[in-house]
Structures are given as C-alpha cells and as structure tokens.
Amino acid sequence: MATVEDTTGARPAAEVLARARDIAGPAVRAAVETLPPAPRAIAEYHFGWRDQDGNPAGGGGGKLFRPALALLAADAVGGTWEAAVPAAVAVELVHNFSLLHDDVMDGDTTRRHRPTAWSVFGVGGAILAGDSLLALAFDVLAASGHPAADDTVRGLTATVQRLIDGQSRDMAFERRGDVVLTECRAMAEAKTGALLGSACELGAVFGGGGAEQRADLRRFGELLGLAFQIADDLLGIWGDPAVTGKPVHSDLRNRKKSLPVVAALSGGTPHAAELAELLAADRPLDGAELVRAAELVDLAGGRAWSERETAALLETALARLRSAAPDRRAAAELALLARLATRRDH
C-alpha cells in the first residue's frame, strides 16, 4: 500500500511552492488591489511588491506556504488547485494581517530583509493595513460562490479568534516567570497551528472532501503548525539573519517565552536558574547577555527538547495525513512541504 512517504510522481517541494505562487499569487495581488488607497499602499509594501514610495519592487510576496497547503489539500481529496484559490487567498491574507500586527507588538524593525511596514509608515498605518487584510479575507470567502461559503467564513472566524487568543497569551507570557510547557504548547498551537489547520481544512472543503477527511487534514495542519512553531522558535534564537530576514536573537531580546526557552527553564538545572535570572532583569539585554542567554537555552536542554518534539509532532501529523486517505501524489507533496517547514535551515 502506498503511503505519504511514497514520493513516486511527487514534485519537489520547491516546485510545488512555485506552482502555488503561480496560481495563488496573482489572486492574492488582485484581492489586495481592491483595498482603499492608504492600506493598499502599505500592504503592497509589506508584501514586497512596491517600495515605500509606491514604485514597483522585486519582492515576491513571501513563500505562500499556507496557500500551498490549501491547494494541495483540495488536490488530496479529489478536487483541483484552481477550485481552492479562494481558500488559498483567504489564509494568506489572514497570515499577513497577523505579521503586520506582530511586527508592531514585537517592535521588530526588519522582515523579509527590509524595514517592517510600521517602521516605514507608522504604527497606526500598519495596524489599519492589517485590519484591511483581515476584512478582505472574509470577503474573499463570502464572494467565492461556494455552497459552503457561509460555513467557511464562520470557520475562518473561529480560526482568527484562536490565533488572537494564542498571540494574547504569548504576550502575557513575556511578563511571567512561571510559564509551563503545557500552556506554552497550547499557546503555540493556537497562534500558529490554528491557521495551518484552517488552510488544510478550507482547501479540503473547496476540493469537495468529506467530513472525516476535512477533520484529519485540519489536525494534520494543526500538528504541523505546532512543529513549525517550534522550528521557528529555534530560528528566533539561533537563526542566521541572512536567512530569516530578522535580527539575531530577536525572540530573546523581546523575552519571548518560546517553547525552547520554556523547556530550558523547566529543567531545574543551574543553567535554567541562570537563564531565569537573566530574563527577569528589568532592563534591555545587551549583545553579550543575549549570546549568553542563547547559550543557556542550549545548555539547559531547550534546543535538544525542541528538536525531539519537532520530529515527534511531524510524525504524528503525517499519521493524520495518512488517515485522510488522500490522493497519493498530493499526500506525498504535503509530506514534503511538512518536512521542509520543520527544517531549521530555511
């Protein structure tokens, strides 16, 4: 019996992402072009399509990973990529709404190797551009003409509420010293897993999948999202700015209680105690302290735990993908994307 690990006929992940950009990219851009002039200008800058003066720029608008999940999920249940374009566009708009707001909340000044939208256009403009993208996401689904359009809008609404709840908890954790792994894991699954799960579920809906297939694909996406968040947390500590497009040690600078940090703090070791003391300091951490904090996360076991957990979550996610009984090639391509997303060198 073929499994999701049977890559016979599957295209490489880079080719799948390129095709997703070819199909969903123009639709995302067309949707953004319907926004009012002010938020449209900021959104087009954020996506990398224009510079701060409104001139065309060479940015490609991101990897479109979430749209690729939606399109492949539709394929997996017997539908077509083209049928799932509204789902792909909607999840990408929600994702970028969250990025615009996250950059404001975190005070990050760099994304995708260029100044963040708020640092160029101001906090208010970036927030309003994010709000416009969020409203547009619901409009795209509502206007799709799909028989389940109303249900997809309600489903995406619930996803956004989970995302906001996760982000709220993430911010609250920065002010707490008693965060435990179970609540940090729940936060990450809401903040990141909810939207990846929604991408897969919406794609399956537009592809004509049954209720069990939609549920299995949603859970695949949620678990993948949690694994992705842990991998991203590792990049937030040790990632190369030339690769990530964000400053080195950015998460530690913001005192984020990311999963590697909480795993390290939970170890009960002298290194964990030193890390806790450093993060509790009532002042900005300087460069040497950030380097030491990253070292302590590693010495206290945070990196090793994260790598083990990422691998275990990925395998559990792939098991749910198998349960969806999908098209063989589409399943293999979803598995390839999942493995790519949880690598720490991308």
Side-chain angles (χ1 to χ4, degrees):
M1 177 183 293
T3 71
V4 295
E5 300 304 320
D6 181 357
T7 59
T8 303
R11 294 158 294 191
E15 184 178 332
V16 172
L17 288 171
R19 185 175 178 226
R21 285 193 295 271
D22 288 343
I23 292 177
V28 172
R29 191 157 189 164
V32 171
E33 288 174 351
T34 68
L35 294 177
R40 172 183 169 181
I42 298 173
E44 289 181 333
Y45 170 85
H46 166 77
F47 276 103
W49 303 330
R50 295 188 182 276
D51 66 19
Q52 65 189 71
D53 298 317
N55 301 310
K63 295 177 181 177
L64 271 67
F65 177 72
R66 290 155 188 80
L69 290 180
L71 299 175
L72 276 174
D75 193 6
V77 299
T80 66
W81 285 43
E82 290 74 15
V85 166
V89 172
V91 295
E92 185 64 9
L93 293 172
V94 169
H95 173 53
N96 282 276
F97 137 76
S98 72
L99 295 183
L100 281 161
H101 285 200
D102 283 355
D103 286 341
V104 170
M105 289 182 283
D106 293 342
D108 285 340
T109 57
T110 304
R111 179 175 291 281
R112 296 169 180 161
H113 310 289
R114 66 207 301 250
T116 48
W118 76 264
S119 69
V120 175
F121 297 96
V123 168
I127 290 173
L128 291 172
D131 293 343
S132 288
L133 292 181
L134 179 60
L136 183 59
F138 297 121
D139 186 60
V140 167
L141 291 180
S144 68
H146 193 278
D150 288 348
D151 291 337
T152 62
V153 170
R154 284 192 291 270
L156 188 61
T157 299
T159 293
V160 171
Q161 295 292 2
R162 285 189 66 197
L163 187 158
I164 292 171
D165 177 55
Q167 180 66 20
S168 298
R169 282 185 276 173
D170 191 22
M171 293 172 60
F173 289 171
E174 294 173 22
R175 302 186 297 273
R176 288 176 48 194
D178 59 346
V179 179
V180 298
L181 267 174
T182 52
E183 61 180 336
C184 190
R185 179 182 168 124
M187 174 275 294
E189 188 168 332
K191 187 177 83 166
T192 304
L195 187 56
L196 268 67
S198 186
C200 294
E201 182 179 26
L202 287 172
V205 169
F206 278 84
E212 290 187 6
Q213 286 180 309
R214 298 196 301 267
D216 281 329
L217 284 165
R218 180 183 67 246
R219 190 57 184 153
F220 159 73
E222 290 171 343
L223 291 166
L224 171 58
L226 181 52
F228 174 86
Q229 184 60 59
I230 298 174
D232 194 60
D233 286 346
L234 291 171
L235 287 173
I237 299 174
W238 292 285
D240 180 356
V243 176
T244 65
K246 299 182 71 173
V248 67
H249 300 142
S250 60
D251 284 356
L252 290 173
R253 182 176 289 105
N254 294 325
R255 289 180 166 82
K256 278 191 172 296
K257 295 300 191 303
S258 63
L259 279 156
V261 170
V262 174
L265 291 171
S266 302
T269 66
H271 291 125
E274 183 182 347
L275 176 63
E277 183 178 356
L278 193 57
L279 293 178
D282 188 21
R283 54 178 171 73
L285 300 180
D286 63 26
E289 289 172 322
L290 290 171
V291 171
R292 179 57 177 167
E295 182 181 30
L296 290 169
V297 174
D298 193 2
L299 292 171
R303 181 185 285 198
W305 177 89
S306 298
E307 291 171 346
R308 291 194 305 270
E309 191 70 8
T310 299
L313 284 165
L314 178 60
E315 294 312 309
T316 305
L318 294 177
R320 293 305 294 258
L321 180 56
R322 286 191 289 271
S323 296
D327 171 85
R328 184 174 70 181
R329 188 180 78 170
E333 291 173 353
L334 279 167
L336 288 172
L337 284 189
R339 294 198 179 281
L340 174 66
T342 52
R343 281 168 38 195
R344 287 176 37 242
D345 58 349
H346 65 286

